[in-house]
Amino acid sequence: MLDRYSLDELGDRAQLLASELATNCYLHASGPARLRLSWEDGVVRMSMWDTGRTLPGIAERPAPNRADAGHGLRLVGACADDWGWYALDPNRLGVDGKIVWCELYR
């Protein structure tokens, strides 16, 4: 998608962010997940849906025995121009889980 719209300058950040969002799903949610990318009005938006009910949080400090873990959402916050999350209401939408999203501005 980035190539199609000549957004090469966003490629490295977009790849890193997509990887972090997908890794968080793999580590913290069971069941299916889906990454969605969109481009509109100068904004690349990535939305990662998973079936997990727990909203993500940023740990104050990663566990001392896991220096390689606990930095994913800090990295998303540092690399994305905006980001956030919200729970889905299965009674209203017919689907359960949450969406974690981030945006890159051109």
Side-chain angles (χ1 to χ4, degrees):
M1 185 190 88
L2 298 175
D3 287 341
R4 176 185 288 170
Y5 293 104
S6 301
L7 300 170
D8 298 337
E9 73 275 9
L10 299 179
D12 289 340
R13 285 195 305 151
Q15 186 174 3
L16 176 67
L17 291 166
S19 174
E20 287 301 324
L21 295 179
T23 298
N24 280 342
C25 284
Y26 177 76
L27 293 175
H28 302 293
S30 61
R34 179 171 292 138
L35 177 68
R36 181 177 179 205
L37 247 58
S38 64
W39 161 249
E40 187 176 343
D41 298 328
V43 177
V44 171
R45 183 180 179 100
M46 281 183 250
S47 307
M48 190 77 194
W49 165 79
D50 68 53
T51 58
R53 295 289 298 148
T54 305
L55 294 178
I58 299 175
E60 287 296 317
R61 293 186 177 174
N65 60 343
R66 293 289 319 269
D68 62 335
H71 302 287
L73 289 179
R74 281 191 214 294
L75 197 55
V76 170
C79 294
D81 292 309
D82 198 7
W83 75 284
W85 62 84
Y86 55 91
L88 299 174
D89 181 353
N91 296 321
R92 203 175 115 223
L93 300 173
V95 65
D96 203 3
K98 67 181 172 294
I99 302 269
V100 180
W101 59 269
C102 63
E103 294 178 338
L104 297 173
Y105 305 148
R106 182 166 200 197

